[in-house]
Amino acid sequence: MVANSFFQEYGRSSFIAFCLIVYFALFALSPVFHLSMENLFYGNQIDIRIIVMFLLAEPHFAMTLPLLYGYRDNFTDRPLRYALVPFLIILLGTFLFFQINNLFVIVFLLANVFHVNRQSVGFFMLQGRLPFGMKFLYEISLHIFTLVCLYFAMVLQHHSIITGLVIFIIATTTMLSLFKIKIGSFPTIKQISVIFQGYLIFLPIVIFSDILLAFAVGISIHYLQYLSISWRVCKFGFLFSMKIVLFLLIFYSILSTAALSGFFTLERISIFVLIPTMMQLLHFYYDSLIWRKRTGGELISSILAKTL
């Protein structure tokens, strides 16, 4: 019963609507607040990318720290996955960052895409209470959709609202048709909104020529989802003092946003940029461990249910 109430909390339509409202608000406001690349994004000017970075993106990355503290026993119980592999990621990542930066960017981008799409699949099951049999098909469709968007944006250098809408309509229509074939009926309006969230995240890549702006607008849904569920885990699952957690998130976000926005240095390849970027890469890795049972630990949602 407790577990059911937990899932119902994250299945409420109000939270889905809130994420979509924030997404479309950012989408609409971005042309107003967005500064062109010629206006020196790394010159400490404020635009929507820095706002999203400070309020959502970096706090979302910082939330990994209290979650890892809650699972601190795993560093001694499973040192290979929780200590050695991250150490190797730091070594290899640092080498690529300074020596083969283009390859580092590609690896980082693919890790980011995989991480975000995997969470979309998780919320596909959590918010929509959708059939498990659709999970694999949805994940594959998200990866294909994202790669197509990246191909148009980065290879063809083509950006258009019409192109984005066509790709979006094809992807969602295909997914809904597969749903009908496999399940025997179309999903409800609420379930459709959950399905659409996953595709909307990377859709701006095809529309905005600035990929940083596209990520700021699109991945906002992902940031809100992660912060929401992680906050409840820290508060009710691990019983942390949320004042301390909030201070950590703000403090981390100030430093990392300052570093990434050029406050400390205008050099794109520097130690000030490396540190928060490496923290993001570790976030992608650790997130693949702490939210699933196959690592040998309990699923975080199970801990939350027990505590409640």
Side-chain angles (χ1 to χ4, degrees), residues 18-217:
F18 174 72
C19 290
L20 293 175
I21 290 172
V22 171
Y23 173 89
F24 286 112
L26 290 174
F27 194 98
L29 292 173
S30 57
V32 179
F33 292 99
H34 171 55
L35 301 174
S36 67
M37 294 303 288
E38 289 75 17
N39 285 340
L40 295 177
F41 169 62
Y42 283 87
N44 305 323
Q45 300 190 61
I46 300 297
D47 70 0
I48 205 166
R49 293 165 294 185
I50 298 180
I51 294 173
V52 173
M53 186 190 303
F54 175 70
L55 294 179
L56 296 177
E58 294 310 312
H60 139 269
F61 288 119
M63 188 61 87
T64 307
L65 298 176
L67 292 176
L68 286 177
Y69 180 76
Y71 274 108
R72 57 192 177 276
D73 291 342
N74 286 343
F75 286 88
T76 54
D77 296 341
R78 284 175 282 278
L80 176 62
R81 292 179 176 178
Y82 279 81
L84 180 59
V85 173
F87 177 72
L88 295 176
I89 290 175
I90 293 174
L91 287 182
L92 180 60
T94 302
F95 172 79
L96 292 177
F97 182 83
F98 286 109
Q99 301 300 322
I100 319 176
N101 190 259
N102 288 337
L103 179 58
F104 176 86
V105 171
I106 293 174
V107 172
F108 184 91
L109 177 62
L110 294 177
N112 189 17
V113 167
F114 181 78
H115 161 74
V116 171
N117 283 342
R118 286 287 291 176
Q119 179 178 295
S120 294
V121 173
F123 273 80
F124 171 86
M125 305 298 296
L126 188 63
Q127 289 180 320
R129 308 299 299 274
L130 293 158
F132 187 82
M134 295 300 300
K135 178 183 177 183
F136 177 75
L137 291 174
Y138 184 57
E139 181 174 355
I140 294 299
S141 72
L142 285 178
H143 291 319
I144 294 175
F145 174 84
T146 306
L147 291 176
V148 170
C149 290
L150 288 172
Y151 176 76
F152 272 90
M154 305 185 73
V155 178
L156 299 181
Q157 296 290 308
H158 176 78
H159 301 89
S160 166
I161 294 180
I162 300 300
T163 302
L165 288 176
V166 169
I167 298 173
F168 178 79
I169 291 172
I170 292 174
T172 53
T173 301
T174 301
M175 187 62 193
L176 293 178
S177 300
L178 290 174
F179 199 102
K180 170 67 174 177
I181 294 172
K182 192 170 181 64
I183 306 302
S185 61
F186 287 109
T188 64
I189 297 298
K190 176 183 174 182
Q191 291 174 330
I192 290 176
S193 66
V194 174
I195 292 173
F196 281 10
Q197 281 184 130
Y199 298 110
L200 288 172
I201 288 176
F202 287 112
L203 179 63
I205 295 175
V206 187
I207 299 173
F208 297 110
S209 59
D210 181 355
I211 194 170
L212 294 178
L213 177 64
F215 282 172
V217 173

Side-chain angles (χ1 to χ4, degrees), residues 242-258:
M242 298 315 293
K243 291 181 180 179
I244 297 177
V245 172
L246 181 61
F247 173 80
L248 172 65
L249 299 187
I250 295 174
F251 180 74
Y252 179 93
S253 184
I254 291 173
L255 291 180
S256 58
T257 301

Side-chain angles (χ1 to χ4, degrees), residues 70-71 233 236-238 298-308:
Y71 274 108
V233 167
F236 299 111
F238 294 127
E298 291 179 298
L299 191 66
I300 285 187
S301 58
S302 299
I303 287 184
L304 176 56
K306 284 184 179 181
T307 305
L308 290 174

